[in-house]
Amino acid sequence: MAARSARLTRRKTWLGATAVVALAALNAPAMSGFAQHAYHRWRIDQPEYRARYGHWSLAGLPEKYRLNSIHAILLHTGKVLLIAGSGNDVEQFDGGVFKSTLWDPAADTFKKIDTPADLFCGGHAQLPDGKVLIAGGTARYEKLKGDVKRAGGAMLVKNEDPDRARTFPEGTVFRSPAGVEYRSQFAVRVPAARKAGRGDRVRVTASEARVFVEAADEGPLGITNTTEQYAIDGLKGADARNLYGIANKLGLDKKDFQGIKDAYEFDPVTEKYTKVASMREARWYPTLTTLSDGRVLAVSGLDDIGQIVPGKNELYDPSTKTWSKAPTRYFPTYPSLFMTGRGKVFYSGSNAGYGPANKGRKPGLWDLATNTFTTVPGLRDPDILETSSSVLLPPAQEGKVMVLGGGGVGESPASTSRTAVVDLNAKRPAFEPGPDLPQGTRYLNSVIMPDDTVFTTGGSGGYRGKHASDIHKSQIYDPAANTFTPAADPQVGRDYHTEALLLPDGRIAVFGSDPLFADKAGSRPGHFEQRVEIFSPPYLHHGKRPRLTADGDTETVRGDEIVLRTAHPADIDRVRLMRPGSATHVTDFDQRSVALDITRRTAGALTVRVPEDPALVPPGWYMTVAVDKRGVPSPAVWVHVSRYRADEGSAAERRITRITGTLTR
């Protein structure tokens, strides 16, 4: 009786929608449009449609928790950390208003998080213990040439005293030979000078540190294009002789964003930020990539004077919470880097802007141990990689990386529908063409799903969605078939400052979007998109899902087995270990899906083995998902993969690693 009633209800709804469409066609264009919309809403809500294309819905984000989501990070508690910082809003920056929100998708609850600094446009990565490293952010917003009122630029602060380092606070005055005053915009520490030799042969080499300065007075008086020495206000005698500034050019030209050196760990359990050691370089738009040993590589970004960090990379060790020098190599900002081996990183060529068109743009394999870079050829439209998407295709054992879409350098209107795939396990890796996207697309989000497919959504045809070019389309890529199939259309357009994450229940959440204009003519300024839209993939509409529980402790190590309880183990086709995402600017270097071998099936249980290779399974928390023979995944079970086996003498190995700096375990 219930089934008959449901059929009658659907029939009445269909007849009603048909009648409205017919009436609209006979009467008015406005009515016709309304009826077509009603029919569309009816159609996409049908079970058959959802089972084929999936379904979109909006999260009920209360107004007081809304923010300009620049960063979205899935935590091992199942919650999502959304970071805005100042949210690309100079008024909030000037007012010191920095925001983070914690969202629990399962309970649909929200919580404001105290945010200690402007983490807007920093970098982040998952750490072995489940905390998240966030490094860099915003020290200063850009100013266009006409808006710059005070001359400014880089001041090198020199110290010729070998016995003492000095720290100068923000606001320190540097005076030119002509008496023009400049004030430092940040505090700066200058190490002691270096002393070599003995007796009469002692040689002192001045140390130096850099700080951004601005003229005390507005106007052209502060402009200089000559190298001069600047006295530091308040110093006398030997200090005045040993400590001074050197500047080559101080002007009224455009000032780019400037980065900070600050770094923090966010603890998903306490739900608080904790400051750790600062980076050696300030970074805005940096990439943070977790390596096979659990350390994090930080590269690129705009520095404390608004220039791209010139290849000075560094490593964060979560066991000591300190930074050390990494091999030198130049990249444009937010380069897409994927850990693909012990001490080996693949650069897909994708990046999120800032940097010359002819430097650091070629894809290739970077060996950190030897600091060698091998270019990977074969990519069509190699000059249209900015704001493209890159993803490590599932399963990670295949060693394949895909590049999707992209745009020209800077504010170029160019975009491409090109996709390409490179097999990094091949003897001579080279890109091979993939299927084209439906149209030229930049800012495309790509999310790995448990059924070994990749969901792609949104983007725009133009720079930051100019000329109303947001693309309200989604598609699913199948690496095995090398084909796209269409998915349901999203309601919300997404372009710059957007990100997407796989949730533990198998849904996908999409955040942010920061269009330059709100209309096709470009006459009205755009507004930041604060709605959160959630996609339920087709596999969630294919009937009852398998269920998993972990047998005993959820702690494991590489090479060990995990026992998973499930009612029908014979129905399970595959099991995947999925690293939680950490996304910003349509980049996500943490997400990966690792195939687990099913070693035994017993009554009510599966036994699976974790791969031994740390390049496949870097230490940290993972979602374990079983997929049945229909392609339907279970909700995730969280498992923590430790760095070391209990019998390996982990303390000794860690000590050796700190001494040698090895990147090979």
Side-chain angles (χ1 to χ4, degrees), residues 302-321:
L302 298 188
D303 61 20
D304 51 353
I305 62 170
Q307 298 178 355
I308 291 185
V309 177
K312 296 180 180 179
N313 308 312
E314 44 197 312
L315 284 164
Y316 180 74
D317 187 336
S319 64
T320 61
K321 302 189 186 307

Side-chain angles (χ1 to χ4, degrees), residues 528-559:
F528 203 104
E529 179 57 68
Q530 295 187 333
R531 288 175 293 175
V532 177
E533 197 169 15
I534 302 173
F535 179 68
S536 297
Y539 55 57
L540 295 181
H541 304 279
H542 289 174
K544 189 175 180 179
R545 302 176 67 182
R547 299 283 168 174
L548 287 182
T549 56
D551 191 2
D553 194 0
T554 55
E555 292 283 334
T556 189
V557 295
R558 292 185 292 261

Side-chain angles (χ1 to χ4, degrees), residues 32 78 152 158 162 198 290 307 358 367 377 398 423 447 450 472 503 536 540 543 580 623 630 649 651 660 664:
S32 178
K158 297 275 191 173
R198 294 181 178 179
T290 303
Q307 298 178 355
N358 59 353
D367 188 324
E398 298 290 326
D423 182 356
V447 180
H472 292 253
L503 301 177
S536 297
L540 295 181
M623 295 180 284
R630 300 168 299 151
T660 63
T664 57

Side-chain angles (χ1 to χ4, degrees), residues 1-9:
M1 184 65 183
R4 181 174 180 273
S5 176
R7 286 197 299 271
L8 285 173
T9 300

Side-chain angles (χ1 to χ4, degrees), residues 61 63 66-69 494 512-513 528-532:
L61 183 62
E63 186 172 351
R66 292 176 188 172
L67 75 171
N68 296 351
S69 303
R494 308 284 180 178
S513 188
F528 203 104
E529 179 57 68
Q530 295 187 333
R531 288 175 293 175
V532 177

